[in-house]
Amino acid sequence: MSADSLTVVISAIGIVLTLGTGMFAAMAWVVRRIDAVDAKLTTRIDAVDEKLTTRLDSVEDKLTTRIDTVEDRLTARLDAVGADVTDLKIAVARLEGPPRHLLTAAR
């Protein structure tokens, strides 16, 4: 083998190794960078998730309290209306009922 052929073969192997090492290093950098971004995003997403969960729980508690208050007020009002209707039924029954026997009818 001549010196020129040997030089070309060694140069080709050197170029292939250099390019391969460079590509490997570049991919390692990309993977490391993606992992760093993923970790940052995961941290931010978890923080936002925690804030939203806290807020939603607070809103849910407030709405539950308001709904319970409204329900109690409506129950009280409906009970009052029911009592008034019962009193009204009794009054109408007295007006429409048979004449009282203890009173003398003037005819």
Side-chain angles (χ1 to χ4, degrees):
M1 189 178 267
S2 68
D4 291 338
S5 299
L6 187 62
T7 304
V8 169
V9 170
I10 291 174
S11 296
I13 291 173
I15 290 173
V16 169
L17 286 176
T18 303
L19 288 176
T21 304
M23 288 174 48
F24 178 76
M27 284 308 293
W29 178 82
V30 167
V31 168
R32 190 171 45 108
R33 188 76 181 138
I34 287 173
D35 287 343
V37 169
D38 183 49
K40 285 181 184 177
L41 286 177
T42 301
T43 303
R44 287 181 69 184
I45 289 171
D46 289 343
V48 169
D49 184 40
E50 190 65 35
K51 285 180 185 177
L52 285 176
T53 301
T54 304
R55 254 180 108 177
L56 286 175
D57 289 344
S58 171
V59 168
E60 181 183 11
D61 292 342
K62 287 178 185 176
L63 286 177
T64 301
T65 304
R66 286 182 70 184
I67 288 171
D68 290 343
T69 303
V70 168
E71 183 180 13
D72 292 342
R73 286 192 342 215
L74 285 176
T75 301
R77 286 179 75 180
L78 285 174
D79 291 343
V81 168
D84 289 346
V85 168
T86 302
D87 293 343
L88 182 63
K89 285 180 180 179
I90 291 170
V92 168
R94 284 183 183 157
L95 289 175
E96 293 178 351
R100 296 184 181 157
H101 297 290
L102 297 176
L103 298 175
T104 57
R107 290 190 192 190

